[in-house]
Amino acid sequence: MDIRNIAIIAHVDHGKTTLVDALLRQSGQYRDNQQVAERVMDSNDQERERGITILSKCGSVVWKDTRINIVDTPGHADFGGEVERILSMVDGVLLLVDASEGPMPQTKFVTAKALKLGLRPVVVVNKVDKPDARPDEVHDEVFDLFVTLEANEEQLDFPVLFASAKGGWASRDSSARSGDMSALFDTVIEHVKAPTVSESSAFKMLATTLESDPFLGRILTGRIESGSVRENMTVQALHRDGTRAERTRITKVLAFRGTGREGVTEAHAGDIVALSGFSTATVADTICDLEVTEAIPSDPVDPPTLSMVFSVNDSPLVGRSGKKVTSRLIRARLMDEAEGNVAIRVTETENGDAFEVAGRGEFAAWRAD
Ligand code: GDP
């Protein structure tokens, strides 16, 4: 099956979730009467609370024999190299903009990176059904933004669709007020290149995101750069300098199917997959066949910028509030967070009753339960 990999960039509330739901419904993977139970892009509760994306999630839709993997992008500014790594999985970006609000400054950062990487943008001006919509002006504003961000000629010649994600339609014509999503599917397939894969038959994948699953353990997601990966295959993880992080057996190959992930026996170059079976491998490592000696070039994960010591409450108010009242419980909670969060590093103090947690300034939003 042909593949297209695109990232979606959208300011909060401009309709990303509604758009992806509409694409899923119309891509023929669901029976007409079947509800799309889960909203793909927004399923992590903690994340919704904070309004940012930590795990970059994927969805996938099939249109006329092409699988389109849709990757969510972080809405926040930077986690050193994270945005580049996510964008390195895709060959195009879908910039979704509200037809009355226009492009928002908060999306500029990711858009600028995407343009710099040479990715082709497809612009969707959404909510054109709203009474205060000004689709043509917003189209011009996006063009001006791309000029400011030094887009090249090809990028400035971007296709634009005028849509109502809520109404389930998108059109190349700014006066359209009905229809379906075919024009958007066709535009993505036509304008976004098929993934570039290397000729080598050796399996190689750059680990782009890390998460921790209660059953599968560490899960690393990335785009397969060359070769194929199979369940039970023995692989290694290489650090950025090419030294080996670990050697292991892949326990699961998960491919993105609609809103969820499904175990597959094998996946090939170009596809985006999640792999389990690791104990130490992490983001920015290269997962590959044993004979590979060179890691895929990537930016390092930013080192922590601040740290705090966590310990048992020994104040006069001890016992009055809080659930994590022993060092053991505090340790378990911190280690659990560190397992699935590359931004955090936990070190135990010598006597074992306090923990130094180093991170990048997101502590305030980080809940202890
Ligand atoms: P997200 O934060 O980008 O994922 O935005 P959502 O998809 O959750 O949409 C935010 C709000 O905008 C919701 O209330 C949607 O129903 C509404 N919305 C999304 N698309 C459209 C549209 O095309 N037209 C109108 N009028 N409202 C929309």
Side-chain angles (χ1 to χ4, degrees), residues 14 97-104 125-142 162 174 177:
H14 282 194
V97 183
D98 183 298
S100 55
E101 289 190 353
M104 301 298 272
V125 177
N126 188 36
K127 308 197 190 184
V128 299
D129 60 288
K130 288 208 312 195
D132 59 347
R134 38 185 197 95
D136 294 313
E137 268 171 64
V138 167
H139 179 192
D140 289 344
E141 287 169 16
V142 173
F162 300 91
S174 69
R177 291 296 177 268

Side-chain angles (χ1 to χ4, degrees), residues 13-18 39 126-127 129-130 164-166:
D13 273 348
H14 282 194
K16 176 169 67 180
T17 315
T18 312
R39 308 213 313 172
N126 188 36
K127 308 197 190 184
D129 60 288
K130 288 208 312 195
S164 170
K166 205 167 159 181

